[in-house]
Amino acid sequence: MKLSQLLIPTLREVPADAEIPSHVLMLKAGLMRKLAAGIYIYLPLGKRVLKKVEEIVREEMDREGSQEVLMSALIPAELFKETGRWDVFGPEMFKLKDRNDRDFCLGPTHEEVFTDLIRNEVKSYRQLPLILYQIQTKFRDERRPRFGVMRSREFIMKDAYSFDADWEGLDASFNKMYRAYSRIFDRCGLNYLVVEADPGAMGGRDSKEFMVISSVGEAVIAYCESCGYAANEEKAECLVEAQEEELREVEKVYTPNVRSIEELVKFLGISPDKFVKTLIYKAKGKLVAVLVRGDRDVNETKLLNVLGLREEELELADAESVEKVTGAKVGFAGPIGLKGDVLLLVDSEIPLLRNFIVGANETDYHIKNVNYSRDFKADIVADIKNVVEGDRCPRCGAPLKIARGIEVGHIFKLGTKYSEALGATYMDEEGNEKPIVMGCYGIGINRTVAAIIEQHHDEKGIIWPMSVAPYHVIIVPVNVSDEEQKRVAEDIYARLLEERVEVLIDDRDVRAGVKFNDADLIGIPIRVTVGKKVKEGIVEIKLRDKEEIEEVRVEKVVGRIKEIIEEKLRELS
Ligand code: ATP
Ligand code: MG
């Protein structure tokens, strides 16, 4: 393709709402444009990268025997009503009506549609197992669309669903997808971790997320370098040990106006882990007192799971409710002597602590030397804390590390949740009717592209891994008015095209510096510069990810380029 004819509207200035490198670079390099909040259109370069990622996904899915299909994005409400998810999705689902006033939605995910297909088409164990997938547009009216295509309201997902006769079969299908996903993200040049995750609203078990390590990731991951344990924050646990200390006498201490942990640390001169803080929440109108160690935070997803609530059903209680239940000003809540109907929920670490300090439920007072069991008992003891750097690995005890991650893929075992709700059954060998056992596997295609950019860029622009680069090579004649440079550049271009190498030629009549900057910005892996040395029969090859320049004889350049491409692709597989 000739650059003069390609629609690559690169930008110098980028809209202020682009906060992260991938968002900035996708706009700057002319890969995409914003149509509305969380809705993007792809231009030629962006579209080519999407296609590359899709092709890698296809190849690896097919290699594991999964079969590609295509469902509709427009889905009749009845299917989601059958599983109850018409309401569960809430405002995230785009709902609409047809001309006859019938309800539809734009599919946010396709468990129902695939299960419906299978309940109609599969009757016997002989037709199982099956893994079906599609690459298709999803719609989710996200509460906070942001970071460009990382979290958008319309996006392309590869979603796959497995159908097995039993759990053993599901384990095998799940492992196939695990392998396929690992190869897909390897080939995309990503550095990722596979983490244990909370299955969330989809239900199921063995939920694993493929997380691309990145400071801009929305997820927090705890991982262990010694044993390989990795889990996201909502699921991560840590070892907690019982403190060995003699129980001391409870003692009330006067702490005038000292409310926060920081103030207590200063006032009493004791480290924050000797305190236990009491947070009062409102859960569906009922009050819940939640206790964690003073230096820790409550993980609200863990808390929601323990209480069996949805996000919108839980909030921190207002001052008035806190004062009513504690009989004190805000800042002096504790587990002993709470008034009225309040559920007491303590983090699993609390019973192991000795002689800690809590609020006294009396303005300006705290209580020292408090011990679980002797001084108070909880209604629920559960792990509700956030793990932090240095906490000990639950498997091997080594110190845990914390990183941020971008969730690019998610695999999990659904079991019979959807097959039972929709009546997808099969006849086994003995003629018994049984529910099909399902798994579910998703990859965000656009988010994967953005994640690749997050891990592969510098101050000049994108550095595409060869496997997903929109073009492999860009030929830059330094001076297009120089007949010889022009002729040699065009000749190399023609020979590369003949060899089916994906090549651009920058035939624009602009300064060489502008061409080099654009080539760096759009991140083409191999640059061939045709300049003055062409008189001696020499051109230059420069790789986007290296500083050195290699001089090559014109007649050798095509062979050398093919070699580099193959080498780079091999490194990624
Ligand atoms: P998240 O927690 O980021 O909202 P999710 O758990 O809702 O993700 P899934 O329903 O498991 O995501 O979807 C499968 C994949 O689709 C995700 O791993 C992610 O890569 C992608 N994805 C999900 N929501 C979006 C979105 N709003 N924009 C772009 N990609 C998305
Ligand atoms: Mg989501």
Side-chain angles (χ1 to χ4, degrees):
M1 187 74 196
K2 293 187 169 164
L3 214 73
S4 61
Q5 268 141 55
L6 186 59
L7 180 64
I8 318 183
T10 56
L11 295 176
R12 272 182 222 290
E13 298 297 323
V14 169
D17 67 341
E19 300 165 60
I20 61 169
S22 59
H23 190 187
V24 168
L25 287 169
M26 287 179 83
L27 292 170
K28 226 173 157 182
L31 265 58
M32 65 165 192
R33 286 292 181 261
K34 176 168 148 182
L35 185 64
I39 306 177
Y40 291 87
I41 55 177
Y42 284 84
L43 309 188
L45 282 189
K47 174 65 182 156
R48 286 180 75 97
V49 177
L50 275 179
K51 232 160 89 180
K52 290 273 174 94
V53 174
E54 287 178 10
E55 266 326 294
I56 291 174
V57 169
R58 277 200 180 90
E59 282 172 24
E60 297 303 339
M61 292 298 290
D62 292 351
R63 204 161 131 188
E64 291 293 349
S66 177
Q67 304 168 52
E68 185 172 6
V69 295
L70 182 58
M71 299 296 164
S72 70
L74 193 58
I75 306 173
E78 286 69 38
L79 274 182
F80 281 99
K81 285 182 179 161
E82 271 189 79
T83 59
R85 291 211 294 179
W86 183 254
D87 298 318
V88 170
F89 270 103
E92 199 165 301
M93 188 185 255
F94 278 105
K95 294 177 175 170
L96 64 158
K97 284 187 188 293
D98 73 2
R99 62 173 72 206
N100 297 313
D101 213 32
R102 281 189 291 250
D103 286 317
F104 285 81
C105 71
L106 297 176
T109 176
H110 278 69
E111 282 79 6
E112 280 82 353
V113 182
F114 275 83
T115 313
D116 177 56
L117 170 77
I118 293 302
R119 76 173 158 187
N120 294 328
E121 307 303 332
V122 169
K123 303 285 172 224
S124 152
Y125 70 93
R126 284 191 198 89
Q127 295 166 278
L128 298 174
L130 272 178
I131 307 177
L132 301 179
Y133 77 96
Q134 65 169 343
I135 296 178
Q136 186 236 27
T137 306
K138 299 279 185 270
F139 299 87
R140 294 183 185 179
D141 198 356
E142 296 277 355
R143 181 156 52 174
R144 279 188 74 198
R146 60 185 190 144
F147 293 165
V149 298
M150 275 294 181
R151 182 169 298 283
S152 53
R153 299 197 295 165
E154 182 193 292
F155 58 97
I156 303 167
M157 198 200 285
K158 185 289 298 173
D159 47 330
Y161 306 85
S162 63
F163 303 90
D164 279 279
D166 50 32
W167 278 89
E168 254 170 47
L170 171 56
D171 290 344
S173 296
F174 184 86
N175 291 339
K176 285 183 177 183
M177 292 298 99
Y178 191 118
R179 284 200 301 265
Y181 276 42
S182 304
R183 284 198 305 262
I184 288 167
F185 297 122
D186 285 342
R187 286 181 62 186
C188 288
L190 288 167
N191 172 17
Y192 60 92
L193 280 175
V194 187
V195 310
E196 289 176 23
D198 169 43
M202 304 284 183
R205 64 185 206 214
D206 274 350
S207 174
K208 288 194 190 295
E209 288 171 349
F210 286 73
M211 290 284 188
V212 172
I213 308 303
S214 163
S215 59
V216 307
E218 291 183 293
V220 175
I221 306 161
Y223 65 100
C224 173
E225 281 176 333
S226 7
C227 76
Y229 171 80
N232 75 25
E233 195 175 43
E234 290 125 42
K235 180 89 182 179
E237 292 173 20
C238 62
L239 266 188
V240 279
E241 274 165 287
Q243 292 180 345
E244 306 280 339
E245 212 178 284
E246 211 134 301
L247 305 196
R248 290 200 287 269
E249 282 293 299
V250 168
E251 189 187 323
K252 201 157 100 178
V253 282
Y254 183 51
T255 51
N257 252 322
V258 177
R259 295 153 197 270
S260 69
I261 295 289
E262 296 85 66
E263 290 165 349
L264 272 167
V265 166
K266 257 202 205 140
F267 187 82
L268 295 174
I270 300 173
S271 69
D273 58 347
K274 288 304 286 178
F275 300 96
V276 166
K277 58 187 172 193
T278 304
L279 302 157
I280 313 287
Y281 283 88
K282 234 182 204 166
K284 270 191 176 167
K286 191 178 156 69
L287 292 176
V288 186
V290 174
L291 271 64
V292 285
R293 207 173 72 186
D295 59 337
R296 290 200 181 272
D297 289 321
V298 172
N299 182 289
E300 292 205 351
T301 306
K302 285 185 180 176
L303 185 57
L304 289 170
N305 288 347
V306 169
L307 295 170
L309 297 177
R310 291 210 300 260
E311 203 178 330
E312 57 276 16
E313 294 171 330
L314 184 77
E315 57 181 359
L316 275 170
D318 51 280
E320 197 184 323
S321 309
V322 174
E323 283 169 20
K324 215 160 147 196
V325 73
T326 62
K329 287 254 149 63
V330 172
F332 301 96
I336 304 168
L338 289 166
K339 296 159 196 65
D341 185 19
V342 48
L343 187 84
L344 190 57
L345 196 170
V346 311
D347 178 55
S348 49
E349 185 173 36
I350 305 300
L352 303 172
L353 302 178
R354 289 288 169 266
N355 304 320
F356 50 84
I357 300 169
V358 297
N361 292 325
E362 187 179 335
T363 304
D364 292 342
Y365 285 95
H366 280 80
I367 308 180
K368 264 167 81 169
N369 301 333
V370 173
N371 287 281
Y372 185 79
S373 194
R374 184 190 70 180
D375 303 320
F376 70 97
K377 282 214 173 99
D379 299 303
I380 305 173
V381 178
D383 176 28
I384 48 157
K385 64 185 154 304
N386 261 348
V387 164
V388 295
E389 181 107 20
D391 275 339
R392 296 180 52 200
C393 172
R395 297 239 180 96
C396 76
L400 287 172
K401 297 222 153 176
I402 304 284
R404 298 193 79 86
I406 301 165
E407 180 200 323
V408 286
H410 190 186
I411 60 177
F412 57 105
K413 297 177 182 170
L414 291 168
T416 55
K417 179 174 166 164
Y418 292 91
S419 47
E420 277 178 24
L422 292 164
T425 58
Y426 72 97
M427 287 292 177
D428 72 6
E429 268 172 275
E430 278 87 46
N432 306 311
E433 190 176 345
K434 289 190 173 154
I436 294 174
V437 184
M438 292 173 56
C440 156
Y441 319 90
I443 291 179
I445 303 288
N446 330 57
R447 191 183 284 182
T448 298
V449 170
I452 294 170
I453 297 175
E454 287 301 332
Q455 286 193 342
H456 298 275
H457 72 271
D458 61 14
E459 66 293 344
K460 292 180 190 155
I462 303 168
I463 308 173
W464 290 116
M466 194 62 80
S467 53
V468 296
Y471 290 89
H472 293 148
V473 183
I474 183 163
I475 302 170
V476 179
V478 170
N479 179 0
V480 283
S481 347
D482 180 305
E483 274 311 310
E484 192 173 11
Q485 285 184 24
K486 192 169 171 226
R487 184 179 50 73
V488 172
E490 278 172 3
D491 177 55
I492 297 171
Y493 176 63
R495 274 158 53 212
L496 285 172
L497 281 181
E498 217 161 276
E499 296 286 332
R500 296 184 186 279
V501 172
E502 300 172 41
V503 57
L504 284 173
I505 182 166
D506 194 346
D507 56 338
R508 296 174 303 168
D509 189 8
V510 295
R511 279 185 297 116
V514 173
K515 294 185 185 183
F516 292 157
N517 286 346
D518 280 348
D520 284 347
L521 174 61
I522 64 175
I524 306 303
I526 305 173
R527 191 182 80 199
V528 179
T529 310
V530 184
K532 283 192 186 122
K533 282 208 173 160
V534 80
K535 288 195 173 38
E536 303 154 39
I538 287 173
V539 296
E540 291 174 0
I541 290 182
K542 181 181 174 303
L543 303 187
R544 178 63 180 88
D545 61 354
K546 297 246 159 55
E547 282 308 315
E548 307 87 75
I549 285 168
E550 182 184 336
E551 294 194 340
V552 187
R553 296 213 56 85
V554 173
E555 60 281 9
K556 293 249 169 83
V557 73
V558 171
R560 179 70 190 118
I561 284 170
K562 286 177 69 182
E563 220 171 76
I564 296 171
I565 295 172
E566 265 166 40
E567 207 174 284
K568 292 261 180 194
L569 287 176
R570 212 171 25 243
E571 277 168 19
L572 289 165
S573 63

